[in-house]
Amino acid sequence: MKIYNKKLISNSLKINSIANYFIELNDKNDFVEFHKFVKSKDLPVLVIGEGTNIVLPDFYEGIVVKPDFININFNKTDNTISVGSSVNWHEFVNFTIDKNIIGFENLSSIPGSVGAAPIQNIGAYGQEVSNLIKSVECYDYINNEFITLSKDDCCFSYRHSIFKESNFLIYKIDFYTDIFTEHNLTYESVKKYITNNNINPKNMSTYDVSKMITSIRSITLPDPSLVPNVGSFFKNTVMNKENIKTNKFSFNDLVLWEVDSIKVKVGSARLIELIKNDLKKFDNVEIYKNHSLVIVTNKVASQQNVIDFADHIKEKVFDTFNVSLEIEPSIVLN
């Protein structure tokens, strides 16, 4: 276990954020020592991976902990893969493709680490990581306990899980490798890409699908290593269709997915697209030119800059459509 004082926290929004204490864990044997340190300081704890889905304060008064577990073990006997939480997500997806495993390819090129995947229940192009998870190995750093959570124990829902509000540090995840036998090509933008590029879906390998997904993402979503962002900043809202205001825009102007006879999921990107010309200019932050769900910074933005801009977007969307947007990344407070 390594302990640093006043260390810069790497994050994809490029917020200049400093941790009061910064700890690196390299071995399970470090956990008990980490537990003692947390107890002695009585400070909040923030577990981070690659910092691609968090909005950090300029100074975090608590303890930032970064695990370093990078082992990958493929068990052909029970058709599972055990993956360390610090493995880069896209590198892991490439590993599954090399092993001819179907199911992970639609989640290609999502920034971040494997350990972050279940926290947000990451999803893209018709797939969610919760569909692939068998169990999650955690350490409860408050109660000094090792815990194994099944998929059901994780309480997965849309961009949510039990890990968002817990004392659990994820150090390993077990994934199924035999759940899916066919590629999922039903998502609208995937079907459009296949049609526009005259691709025969029957001839597509898992590698081909992954390459296609990466191409689709690159068109609309900026690489956080080049353009500071945290991906989609707002979730899609599920609500009663009759409660949507249509005095300025009609239902035909919106993107709606039917949930049941009453409720719909409202495409947040389309809502923001319709009102973005009415938004005020804010210092250091703006909406990405190719995707209205993405907020980008100029590398000098503060957490407050980002929050103020996001709140302005939420207010304008609510006033126009009566739709309450929910922020997707974690806003880290002291």
Side-chain angles (χ1 to χ4, degrees):
M1 184 172 90
K2 295 181 180 179
I3 303 174
Y4 304 89
N5 294 107
K6 310 299 187 292
K7 182 177 172 62
L8 185 68
I9 311 170
S10 176
N11 65 96
S12 64
L13 276 172
K14 299 297 186 287
I15 292 174
N16 187 32
S17 180
I18 304 294
N20 191 8
Y21 295 99
F22 190 100
I23 295 178
E24 293 177 352
L25 301 177
N26 304 101
D27 191 278
K28 282 180 65 175
N29 294 327
D30 292 336
F31 288 163
V32 174
E33 185 181 357
F34 173 61
H35 162 73
K36 293 177 180 178
F37 184 87
V38 170
K39 284 291 189 181
S40 69
K41 296 300 181 183
D42 192 28
L43 290 169
V45 175
L46 172 65
V47 182
I48 66 166
E50 298 183 8
T52 58
N53 203 51
I54 51 178
V55 184
L56 293 166
D58 298 339
F59 183 78
Y60 184 69
E61 297 178 359
I63 303 165
V64 172
V65 56
K66 183 176 176 61
D68 185 21
F69 298 94
I70 56 173
N71 290 334
I72 300 179
N73 296 305
F74 183 22
N75 189 330
K76 293 183 180 180
T77 303
D78 63 0
N79 294 312
T80 60
I81 311 177
S82 295
V83 189
S85 61
S86 307
V87 173
N88 176 270
W89 175 259
H90 184 62
E91 289 181 6
F92 167 57
V93 171
N94 286 337
F95 175 88
T96 67
I97 293 169
D98 289 342
K99 298 295 183 181
N100 297 315
I101 297 167
I102 293 176
F104 296 84
E105 60 279 357
N106 286 35
L107 303 177
S108 296
S109 296
I110 295 179
S113 62
V114 167
I119 297 174
Q120 290 288 125
N121 186 19
I122 61 171
Y125 306 102
Q127 180 63 291
E128 286 187 336
V129 74
S130 56
N131 296 326
L132 300 158
I133 289 176
K134 177 184 179 183
S135 61
V136 181
E137 303 285 336
C138 311
Y139 175 69
D140 184 335
Y141 53 80
I142 296 298
N143 297 307
N144 190 28
E145 293 179 341
F146 289 93
I147 299 171
T148 299
L149 298 178
S150 69
K151 173 182 174 178
D152 290 341
D153 293 334
C154 296
C155 301
F156 288 120
S157 59
Y158 174 61
R159 302 299 174 267
H160 191 76
S161 70
I162 194 175
F163 304 107
K164 280 200 167 183
E165 298 173 1
S166 73
N167 304 315
F168 299 153
L169 185 156
I170 298 171
Y171 63 89
K172 188 182 75 169
I173 303 173
D174 286 354
F175 294 95
Y176 290 111
T177 64
D178 59 349
I179 296 293
F180 297 92
T181 58
E182 296 182 354
H183 301 129
N184 181 353
L185 305 174
T186 60
Y187 201 79
E188 194 59 38
S189 58
V190 172
K191 291 192 294 184
K192 184 177 179 180
Y193 185 94
I194 290 172
T195 300
N196 291 345
N197 290 276
N198 297 315
I199 297 172
N200 184 347
K202 294 181 180 180
N203 294 335
M204 296 186 76
S205 67
T206 306
Y207 172 80
D208 293 332
V209 176
S210 174
K211 187 177 179 181
M212 174 183 66
I213 294 296
T214 297
S215 296
I216 295 171
R217 288 184 66 88
S218 66
I219 294 169
T220 56
L221 297 172
D223 183 343
S225 66
L226 303 175
V227 181
N229 76 95
V230 288
S232 296
F233 205 89
F234 300 100
K235 300 178 183 180
N236 293 323
T237 302
V238 176
M239 63 184 295
N240 289 354
K241 185 176 180 179
E242 64 180 20
N243 291 336
I244 301 173
K245 285 172 62 174
T246 56
N247 56 319
K248 189 171 182 180
F249 297 98
S250 70
F251 286 132
N252 290 334
D253 294 316
L254 310 182
V255 174
L256 305 173
W257 296 278
E258 186 177 297
V259 175
D260 55 35
S261 60
I262 297 174
K263 293 183 178 180
V264 292
K265 181 185 287 187
V266 187
S268 298
R270 180 59 177 161
L271 301 182
I272 299 171
E273 180 71 26
L274 291 170
I275 57 90
K276 69 178 183 180
N277 290 334
D278 298 327
L279 296 174
K280 299 176 182 177
K281 300 291 184 182
F282 278 68
D283 291 338
N284 305 320
V285 292
E286 63 182 349
I287 291 174
Y288 183 58
K289 60 182 180 180
N290 292 342
H291 201 309
S292 295
L293 273 189
V294 179
I295 291 177
V296 300
T297 78
N298 60 357
K299 300 184 180 181
V300 297
S302 66
Q303 182 189 64
Q304 198 60 54
N305 289 152
V306 177
I307 292 175
D308 288 346
F309 186 48
D311 284 344
H312 177 56
I313 294 170
K314 290 171 61 178
E315 181 181 3
K316 184 64 68 173
V317 167
F318 184 79
D319 288 346
T320 307
F321 303 102
N322 195 41
V323 176
S324 297
L325 294 183
E326 184 178 351
I327 291 175
E328 184 168 329
S330 298
I331 307 295
V332 179
L333 302 174
N334 282 306

